[in-house]
Amino acid sequence: MATRTVAPADQAHPVFARIWTTAMRRFQPQSIKEKRAQLARGLHGVVVEVGCGSGSAFPFYPAQVTQVTAIEPEPYLRAQAQEAAKSAPVPVEVVAGTGAAIPAADDSADAVVCSLVLCSVPDQAATLAEIARVL
């Protein structure tokens, strides 16, 4: 039986996190906002968002979403997301975690959202397997 190494839930990248938050707040192109809105359109029920960053996708979740579990391994970004969750149009719980070890039960999500994250995970296959597990 093969074993896999799971990254710790906290993965601090303080310089990147601060640059990312500033860039998304100031320079997020309209095209990214439109893609986030398109991605969220039609979602319903329980959603898991992998790599939520600072929570910039939260405003786009439609009312048909009953709960979002937003996963973010970077502590600074997670704190930003927790602030953004307070004004989200749907209930959002921001938790520590990674795509390789999604903190959710099997078959517990109606949808999983990944936006601008799969290029940064160390093991895309493990992340995609976790997504399949929770769906």
Side-chain angles (χ1 to χ4, degrees), residues 44-48 64-69 108-112 135:
H44 64 279
V46 176
V47 174
V48 172
Q64 295 80 7
V65 171
T66 57
Q67 173 65 40
V68 175
T69 300
S108 63
D110 296 300
V112 176
L135 284 173

Side-chain angles (χ1 to χ4, degrees), residues 2-105:
T3 60
R4 66 183 171 134
T5 303
V6 176
D10 277 329
Q11 296 179 4
H13 300 286
V15 173
F16 170 80
R18 282 160 180 78
I19 290 170
W20 179 259
T21 300
T22 301
M24 284 292 106
R25 199 174 296 129
R26 291 186 185 168
F27 308 113
Q28 182 173 210
Q30 184 61 31
S31 61
I32 289 180
K33 291 178 184 178
E34 290 168 4
K35 290 294 183 189
R36 288 187 192 282
Q38 182 181 16
L39 182 64
R41 198 172 302 127
L43 293 177
H44 64 279
V46 176
V47 174
V48 172
E49 184 176 345
V50 176
C52 68
S54 61
S56 56
F58 297 168
F60 301 104
Y61 285 114
Q64 295 80 7
V65 171
T66 57
Q67 173 65 40
V68 175
T69 300
I71 302 163
E72 177 54 50
E74 210 294 320
Y76 180 83
L77 290 174
R78 191 168 54 247
Q80 298 295 309
Q82 288 166 336
E83 275 303 306
K86 294 176 183 176
S87 61
V90 300
V92 177
E93 178 186 17
V94 180
V95 299
T98 67
I102 296 173

